[in-house]
Amino acid sequence: MVTLIQRILRGNPTLFFVYVILFVFFVFAASTAPQFRTVYNISNLLRQAVAFGIVGIGQTIVILSGGIDLSVGSLISLAACLTSGIMIGNPTLVFPIVFLVLGIGVLVGLTNGTLVAYLRVPPFIATLAMSAILQGSVLLYTKKPVGGVTRGFMFFANGQLGAIPFAFVFWVILLSFFLFLLRRTGLGLHVYAIGGNQEIARLSGIRVSVAKVAVYVISGFMAALTGLFLASRLGIGDPLMGQGFELESITAVLIGGTSLAGGKGGIEGTIAGVLIIALINNILNLLGVSGFWQWIIKGIVVIVVVAAYKVKE
Amino acid sequence: MLVALFVVAGIVSPIFYRPQNIFNVLQQASALGVVSVGQTLVILSGGIDLSIASIMATSCVFAAALMAGKNSMVIPITLFCLAIGALAGFLNGIITTRRNAPPFIVTLGTALIFQGIRFVYTKGAPFGSIPSWLRFLGRGGIGFVPASVIIFLFLALVMEAILQRSAYGRKIYAVGDNKVAALYSGINVPNIILSVYALSGIFAAFGGLVLAGYLGFGDNWAGKGYELDAIAAVVVGGTSLAGGEGGMGGTVVGVLLITILSNIVLLAGLPYQFQQIVKGLVVAAAVIFYSFVKVSGERR
């Protein structure tokens, strides 16, 4: 047991540290708030984690490549509003809408990727501009929550497989797929190489631009999927639903030890980061901390986290 | 291009040329102008400040609450608001330089903190009112020229003079152009960057006061979206996002362009959400345009 811990510590101390923090948070929550220990609350917590978790996977891959995606929040709002706004409780429309929404996510990612990879726009500017365009579009479409989803579609986020939320199982499957993609495929290797040093990656014969576009497409797809998830969870899409998701997904990725400079880290850490963020949200809500104070706390968390991992020049 | 936009504006709607509309456009341009001056400094140094909208709103809310309509309080509270802005900018600068953290994420964090602070202070419902002196700053004018525009142009002129004529200004360009080279030339790079963020915070707080004077009340979301507008104005004005290239002259033109563009959207009868879409497109287009101009310039 001791040697195992030593091996993990030597192999990836950051990752080990992050999971220790997660454990400490969990124990703290379980011992201070009795409501925390209920089955209802835990499955609620897992569902909340899945929302951040899906978009967090995409954000991790973008950040690993040395980029950033600030458009995920608006894209989530757009996806959720289109889902419920077009479906309006009609079961025959479920599959076409899922394809449409995911297609829009891919298209947005494709545009982001083209701007960054081929037109040399800095990633945070390209995706910030995209975010404004998407938020404007969704507010043109609707200013208040719109439409509704079918009961069957709500199973996606609220269904149970025995004692375990279906959404959690879905997330685990997604995680295994992307872990495999990052660690065992050419694209994954290229993402790490580009994030490590773009010039060396290019000289090694990696098609940097193609890989970058792919990365933003994945992120757009995952954000659209999160929009579907949130529409399913609440039964209705809200034009401001995704607000804050860009910052919280980035925070989760950074807590997980992935470097903003790119090339270092991975989804293993993001899982812990997502759970930590979901735990913090959950504890703050259980303790009755007002939403305004939560903003301050989250802002401080963001700053502490970026300050904690010092980037080398 | 500004001239072209003036012509287009007139074609879209003849109302544009009415003195009242021109006066309004200039008034709306000045709050954006003041914060864009600060944003220009930050971008010239190679950084970015996404916290200015939040600082503006915080300054606006505190001004209304603490001045409570009394002219005697205008000067002390103005100083207090500028100090808040400086504090926010200092936080941005210190984390960015000491921990070598990417500015866009640090400033997003700061934005969230100050958003929380003003909501906690007002419990979500801003109170108080803006005294007449500050109202004059936002609404008043000398003849056809709004007071706020004079202040905006004066600030831009002073900062341009500092940028071009003083050692401090040249150092900002040097840092933005090449940090390592600047460091080796004996420039205290972290202090320059820190000062630039502090200035941007102060300008943002002042922009919030101008907006408070214009609105006449404290608004928790005053200046929402101005971080993007300011970046748009700076980038359209030809200042490079990579830092070290550009200046205030371009930003002044950029501010007028962005404001006129927003005005045209409204005059054309389009819903105001269109403004957001247009601004997003303008930012992307401007960055792409200048990156191609630069590349073809290097090849020649």
Side-chain angles (χ1 to χ4, degrees):
Chain A
M1 183 67 190
V2 175
T3 50
L4 181 71
I5 289 176
Q6 274 174 346
R7 256 176 60 199
I8 296 172
L9 257 174
R10 215 174 302 136
N12 197 338
T14 319
L15 198 62
F16 179 73
F17 185 60
V18 173
Y19 275 92
V20 169
I21 292 182
L22 175 61
F23 182 72
V24 170
F25 264 91
F26 192 81
V27 171
F28 172 76
S31 55
T32 48
Q35 316 98 293
F36 180 83
R37 292 188 293 261
T38 59
V39 176
Y40 172 76
N41 185 53
I42 297 285
S43 65
N44 207 11
L45 174 83
L46 288 180
R47 285 202 185 91
Q48 214 176 4
V50 169
F52 291 122
I54 300 174
V55 63
I57 294 174
Q59 191 72 265
T60 309
I61 299 175
V62 174
I63 292 181
L64 278 176
S65 80
I68 196 85
D69 192 346
L70 297 177
S71 67
V72 291
S74 312
L75 183 51
I76 289 171
S77 304
L78 182 68
C81 283
L82 285 181
T83 307
S84 63
I86 304 176
M87 201 181 289
I88 323 178
N90 185 344
T92 54
L93 283 175
V94 170
F95 279 101
I97 287 171
V98 168
F99 280 113
L100 170 79
V101 168
L102 293 178
I104 289 175
V106 168
L107 207 65
V108 168
L110 210 58
T111 316
N112 281 335
T114 310
L115 284 170
V116 171
Y118 293 101
L119 298 170
R120 292 181 301 259
V121 181
F124 75 92
I125 286 290
T127 54
L128 193 66
M130 178 57 80
S131 175
I133 294 170
L134 294 175
Q135 191 64 62
S137 309
V138 66
L139 285 171
L140 271 181
Y141 178 62
T142 176
K143 285 189 197 60
K144 50 183 194 292
V146 63
V149 301
T150 62
R151 290 194 66 82
F153 187 71
M154 287 181 83
F155 180 82
F156 176 35
N158 300 311
Q160 294 278 129
L161 291 178
I164 308 160
F166 167 74
F168 188 68
V169 177
F170 178 77
W171 186 44
V172 171
I173 295 171
L174 269 183
L175 281 171
S176 356
F177 173 76
F178 280 99
L179 270 172
F180 176 80
L181 184 90
L182 274 180
R183 295 293 182 194
R184 294 275 178 272
T185 67
L187 178 64
L189 204 69
H190 293 177
V191 168
Y192 277 95
I194 294 168
N197 189 324
Q198 191 171 315
E199 201 48 33
I200 293 176
R202 195 180 61 80
L203 293 172
S204 322
I206 293 173
R207 289 159 75 190
V208 172
S209 302
V210 175
K212 275 193 177 174
V213 172
V215 155
Y216 285 95
V217 167
I218 292 174
S219 177
F221 181 87
M222 296 309 250
L225 194 57
T226 308
L228 286 172
F229 176 83
L230 286 179
S232 155
R233 184 159 153 71
L234 300 175
I236 191 164
D238 181 316
L240 298 176
M241 204 172 222
Q243 255 186 3
F245 265 75
E246 60 282 356
L247 196 56
E248 282 195 77
S249 66
I250 295 169
T251 316
V253 173
L254 296 186
I255 290 178
T258 299
S259 154
L260 259 181
K264 254 170 50 191
I267 292 176
E268 303 88 333
T270 304
I271 301 170
V274 162
L275 290 173
I276 289 176
I277 295 257
L279 261 174
I280 294 177
N281 286 343
N282 190 261
I283 297 169
L284 290 176
N285 284 334
L286 287 184
L287 295 178
V289 176
S290 86
F292 305 155
W293 275 104
Q294 292 196 17
W295 282 335
I296 299 182
I297 294 168
K298 282 174 191 168
I300 292 173
V301 169
V302 170
I303 293 205
V304 168
V305 168
V306 281
Y309 296 105
K310 187 171 184 175
V311 184
K312 289 193 191 74
E313 292 245 22
Chain B
M1 196 158 154
L2 194 59
V3 176
L5 205 62
F6 251 89
V7 176
V8 172
I11 295 168
V12 170
S13 168
I15 300 170
F16 181 81
Y17 288 124
R18 282 195 196 156
Q20 189 54 46
N21 188 52
I22 301 262
F23 190 82
N24 275 340
V25 167
L26 287 176
Q27 248 175 4
Q28 282 158 12
S30 40
L32 175 61
V34 171
V35 298
S36 298
V37 169
Q39 186 75 276
T40 309
L41 296 176
V42 173
I43 292 182
L44 276 178
S45 79
I48 195 88
D49 189 349
L50 298 179
S51 66
I52 55 176
S54 184
I55 298 175
M56 284 177 89
T58 307
S59 156
C60 175
V61 163
F62 275 109
L66 297 174
M67 287 178 191
K70 289 194 285 284
N71 275 333
S72 58
M73 295 300 279
V74 167
I75 291 172
I77 299 305
T78 296
L79 291 177
F80 174 72
C81 286
L82 296 185
I84 292 179
L87 182 75
F90 186 75
L91 180 67
N92 286 332
I94 208 92
I95 303 286
T96 309
T97 55
R98 299 295 183 270
R99 304 303 303 175
N100 200 14
F104 72 90
I105 183 95
V106 176
T107 51
L108 276 177
T110 309
L112 200 55
I113 294 177
F114 279 82
Q115 179 182 323
I117 289 177
R118 69 172 179 271
F119 271 89
V120 165
Y121 178 69
T122 61
K123 298 186 180 64
F127 50 91
S129 66
I130 304 295
S132 57
W133 288 6
L134 196 57
R135 294 284 313 186
F136 180 78
L137 178 69
R139 283 275 183 187
I142 300 158
F144 267 124
V145 191
S148 50
V149 164
I150 298 175
I151 290 173
F152 154 46
L153 291 178
F154 174 73
L155 286 175
L157 207 66
V158 169
M159 289 321 290
E160 176 70 3
I162 290 176
L163 277 176
Q164 306 305 339
R165 301 276 169 215
S166 78
Y168 172 68
R170 301 320 295 172
K171 281 179 188 168
I172 293 178
Y173 278 97
V175 169
D177 196 43
N178 190 330
K179 266 193 198 130
V180 180
L183 199 68
Y184 286 151
S185 330
I187 296 173
N188 189 338
V189 175
N191 277 1
I192 296 285
I193 295 180
L194 186 60
S195 70
V196 160
Y197 281 102
L199 279 174
S200 174
I202 294 171
F203 278 116
F206 189 65
L209 292 174
V210 173
L211 207 56
Y214 180 74
L215 293 171
F217 54 89
D219 180 356
N220 264 325
W221 295 113
K224 198 174 186 212
Y226 271 45
E227 70 276 26
L228 186 68
D229 293 14
I231 294 170
V234 174
V235 172
V236 167
T239 298
S240 158
L241 273 172
E245 244 184 74
M248 290 300 165
T251 299
V252 172
V253 177
V255 166
L256 292 176
L257 256 160
I258 296 294
T259 314
I260 292 172
L261 212 56
S262 306
N263 192 245
I264 293 178
V265 170
L266 286 188
L267 290 182
L270 297 168
Y272 76 96
Q273 291 90 349
F274 246 92
Q275 290 183 353
Q276 240 179 329
I277 299 177
V278 169
K279 283 169 197 163
L281 290 174
V282 166
V283 172
V287 175
I288 295 168
F289 173 73
Y290 282 109
S291 96
F292 274 96
V293 167
K294 208 176 154 194
V295 168
S296 58
E298 278 161 6
R299 282 198 190 129
R300 243 181 271 135

